Amino acid sequence: MAIKITDECINCDACISECPNNAIYEPDSEWAYADETALSGTITLPNGGTADAEEMHEAKSDEFYFIVTDKCTECKGFHDEPQCASVCPVDCCVPDEDHVETEEQLLAKKAWLHGE
Ligand code: SF4
Ligand code: SF4
């Protein structure tokens, strides 16, 4: 399943550079599917919907770092463990029970993000 950041986050910035999918954003940052991924133009989302990869979306939090669920693969295909959770000093990167995915789905998401 994807990882999420809770309101225990102390905005230390340790996690953001560790994410292989650029799924983590600073508080109050707009985000796009195309940010540092292979996605461009009209894309089919993991849930079957469509979106414009370059469209900017509102920040998910204006107080804490946040993870874009569709860009988080739990680090599958890159690392054995979620890297954000590994480096977080307050253990606030936790499984997102609302977005449970199989390993196969996570690897497919990784391939989608990186144009493989
Ligand atoms: S689990 Fe991995 S892919 Fe997901 S947000 Fe954390 S570092 Fe990024
Ligand atoms: S490492 Fe943890 S505390 Fe630091 S910014 Fe990331 S989620 Fe927040």
Side-chain angles (χ1 to χ4, degrees), residues 5-6 8-16 24 64-66 84 87-93:
I5 293 173
T6 73
E8 303 286 305
C9 174
I10 57 171
N11 296 330
C12 76
D13 198 48
C15 56
I16 199 163
I24 306 174
F64 308 108
Y65 278 59
F66 64 90
C84 51
V87 300
C88 182
V90 293
D91 294 333
C92 69
C93 299

Short mmCIF file of all heavy atoms in Angstrom, two decimals, residues 5-6 8-16 24 64-66 84 87-93, ligand 2:
data_model
loop_
_atom_site.label_atom_id
_atom_site.label_comp_id
_atom_site.label_asym_id
_atom_site.label_seq_id
_atom_site.Cartn_x
_atom_site.Cartn_y
_atom_site.Cartn_z
N ILE A 5 2.01 10.50 5.24
CA ILE A 5 2.70 11.24 6.29
C ILE A 5 1.64 11.80 7.24
O ILE A 5 0.68 12.43 6.80
CB ILE A 5 3.55 12.38 5.69
CG1 ILE A 5 4.70 11.77 4.87
CG2 ILE A 5 4.09 13.29 6.79
CD1 ILE A 5 5.52 12.78 4.08
N THR A 6 1.84 11.56 8.52
CA THR A 6 0.85 12.00 9.50
C THR A 6 1.19 13.40 10.01
O THR A 6 2.24 13.97 9.70
CB THR A 6 0.81 11.04 10.71
OG1 THR A 6 1.99 11.25 11.49
CG2 THR A 6 0.72 9.60 10.26
N GLU A 8 2.24 14.16 12.69
CA GLU A 8 3.39 14.15 13.60
C GLU A 8 4.63 14.72 12.92
O GLU A 8 5.66 14.94 13.57
CB GLU A 8 3.71 12.72 14.04
CG GLU A 8 2.57 11.98 14.69
CD GLU A 8 2.33 12.47 16.10
OE1 GLU A 8 3.26 12.46 16.89
OE2 GLU A 8 1.18 12.88 16.38
N CYS A 9 4.55 14.93 11.62
CA CYS A 9 5.69 15.42 10.82
C CYS A 9 6.24 16.72 11.41
O CYS A 9 5.47 17.63 11.74
CB CYS A 9 5.24 15.64 9.38
SG CYS A 9 6.46 16.38 8.30
N ILE A 10 7.58 16.77 11.49
CA ILE A 10 8.22 17.99 12.03
C ILE A 10 8.90 18.79 10.91
O ILE A 10 9.72 19.68 11.16
CB ILE A 10 9.26 17.64 13.12
CG1 ILE A 10 10.32 16.66 12.57
CG2 ILE A 10 8.56 17.06 14.36
CD1 ILE A 10 11.51 16.45 13.52
N ASN A 11 8.53 18.45 9.65
CA ASN A 11 9.03 19.21 8.50
C ASN A 11 10.55 19.31 8.48
O ASN A 11 11.12 20.38 8.20
CB ASN A 11 8.40 20.61 8.47
CG ASN A 11 6.90 20.56 8.28
OD1 ASN A 11 6.37 19.64 7.65
ND2 ASN A 11 6.18 21.52 8.84
N CYS A 12 11.20 18.18 8.72
CA CYS A 12 12.67 18.20 8.81
C CYS A 12 13.34 18.10 7.45
O CYS A 12 14.53 18.31 7.33
CB CYS A 12 13.15 17.07 9.71
SG CYS A 12 13.07 15.44 8.91
N ASP A 13 12.58 17.68 6.42
CA ASP A 13 13.10 17.61 5.04
C ASP A 13 13.98 16.38 4.77
O ASP A 13 14.56 16.27 3.70
CB ASP A 13 13.89 18.90 4.71
CG ASP A 13 14.08 19.08 3.20
OD1 ASP A 13 13.08 18.95 2.48
OD2 ASP A 13 15.22 19.34 2.77
N ALA A 14 14.08 15.47 5.70
CA ALA A 14 14.97 14.32 5.50
C ALA A 14 14.46 13.36 4.43
O ALA A 14 15.26 12.69 3.75
CB ALA A 14 15.15 13.56 6.81
N CYS A 15 13.17 13.26 4.25
CA CYS A 15 12.60 12.24 3.38
C CYS A 15 12.59 12.61 1.90
O CYS A 15 12.68 11.74 1.04
CB CYS A 15 11.18 11.92 3.81
SG CYS A 15 10.09 13.35 3.87
N ILE A 16 12.47 13.87 1.61
CA ILE A 16 12.11 14.28 0.24
C ILE A 16 13.13 13.82 -0.79
O ILE A 16 12.77 13.35 -1.87
CB ILE A 16 11.86 15.80 0.19
CG1 ILE A 16 11.06 16.18 -1.05
CG2 ILE A 16 13.13 16.60 0.34
CD1 ILE A 16 10.43 17.57 -0.97
N ILE A 24 7.06 12.90 -2.76
CA ILE A 24 6.96 13.69 -1.53
C ILE A 24 7.13 15.16 -1.84
O ILE A 24 8.02 15.55 -2.60
CB ILE A 24 8.04 13.24 -0.51
CG1 ILE A 24 7.96 11.74 -0.26
CG2 ILE A 24 7.90 14.03 0.80
CD1 ILE A 24 9.08 11.19 0.62
N PHE A 64 2.25 20.24 6.64
CA PHE A 64 3.23 19.15 6.75
C PHE A 64 3.64 18.66 5.37
O PHE A 64 2.93 18.89 4.38
CB PHE A 64 2.62 17.96 7.53
CG PHE A 64 2.03 18.36 8.84
CD1 PHE A 64 0.65 18.37 9.02
CD2 PHE A 64 2.85 18.76 9.90
CE1 PHE A 64 0.09 18.76 10.24
CE2 PHE A 64 2.31 19.15 11.10
CZ PHE A 64 0.92 19.16 11.28
N TYR A 65 4.79 17.97 5.30
CA TYR A 65 5.17 17.29 4.07
C TYR A 65 4.05 16.30 3.74
O TYR A 65 3.38 15.79 4.64
CB TYR A 65 6.50 16.56 4.27
CG TYR A 65 7.70 17.47 4.12
CD1 TYR A 65 7.86 18.57 4.93
CD2 TYR A 65 8.65 17.23 3.13
CE1 TYR A 65 8.95 19.42 4.79
CE2 TYR A 65 9.75 18.07 2.98
CZ TYR A 65 9.89 19.16 3.81
OH TYR A 65 10.95 19.99 3.65
N PHE A 66 3.89 16.05 2.45
CA PHE A 66 2.83 15.11 2.07
C PHE A 66 3.29 14.23 0.92
O PHE A 66 4.24 14.56 0.19
CB PHE A 66 1.53 15.84 1.73
CG PHE A 66 1.62 16.76 0.52
CD1 PHE A 66 1.34 16.29 -0.75
CD2 PHE A 66 1.98 18.09 0.67
CE1 PHE A 66 1.42 17.14 -1.87
CE2 PHE A 66 2.07 18.94 -0.44
CZ PHE A 66 1.79 18.48 -1.70
N CYS A 84 11.33 6.74 2.90
CA CYS A 84 10.88 7.86 3.73
C CYS A 84 10.71 7.39 5.18
O CYS A 84 11.15 8.06 6.13
CB CYS A 84 9.58 8.47 3.20
SG CYS A 84 8.27 7.27 2.88
N VAL A 87 14.12 6.92 7.00
CA VAL A 87 14.90 8.09 7.44
C VAL A 87 14.12 9.01 8.38
O VAL A 87 14.72 9.88 9.03
CB VAL A 87 15.41 8.92 6.25
CG1 VAL A 87 16.31 8.08 5.35
CG2 VAL A 87 14.28 9.56 5.47
N CYS A 88 12.83 8.84 8.45
CA CYS A 88 12.03 9.78 9.25
C CYS A 88 12.37 9.68 10.75
O CYS A 88 12.23 8.61 11.34
CB CYS A 88 10.54 9.51 9.03
SG CYS A 88 9.50 10.67 9.94
N PRO A 89 12.76 10.79 11.36
CA PRO A 89 13.17 10.75 12.76
C PRO A 89 12.02 10.59 13.74
O PRO A 89 12.25 10.28 14.92
CB PRO A 89 13.88 12.11 12.96
CG PRO A 89 13.23 13.01 11.97
CD PRO A 89 12.93 12.14 10.78
N VAL A 90 10.79 10.82 13.28
CA VAL A 90 9.66 10.72 14.21
C VAL A 90 8.66 9.63 13.80
O VAL A 90 7.54 9.57 14.32
CB VAL A 90 8.93 12.08 14.35
CG1 VAL A 90 9.84 13.10 15.03
CG2 VAL A 90 8.45 12.60 13.02
N ASP A 91 9.07 8.79 12.85
CA ASP A 91 8.25 7.64 12.43
C ASP A 91 6.82 8.03 12.03
O ASP A 91 5.85 7.36 12.42
CB ASP A 91 8.20 6.58 13.54
CG ASP A 91 9.56 5.96 13.79
OD1 ASP A 91 10.37 5.91 12.84
OD2 ASP A 91 9.82 5.53 14.92
N CYS A 92 6.73 9.10 11.25
CA CYS A 92 5.38 9.53 10.84
C CYS A 92 5.06 9.15 9.41
O CYS A 92 4.02 9.58 8.88
CB CYS A 92 5.21 11.02 11.06
SG CYS A 92 6.18 12.03 9.95
N CYS A 93 5.92 8.35 8.74
CA CYS A 93 5.60 7.82 7.41
C CYS A 93 5.04 6.42 7.63
O CYS A 93 5.79 5.49 7.96
CB CYS A 93 6.85 7.77 6.54
SG CYS A 93 7.62 9.36 6.27
S1 SF4 B 2 11.36 12.77 7.39
FE1 SF4 B 2 9.45 12.60 8.59
S2 SF4 B 2 9.42 14.43 9.89
FE2 SF4 B 2 10.93 14.80 8.27
S3 SF4 B 2 9.78 15.90 6.66
FE3 SF4 B 2 9.72 13.72 6.15
S4 SF4 B 2 7.83 12.95 7.06
FE4 SF4 B 2 8.26 14.92 8.02
#
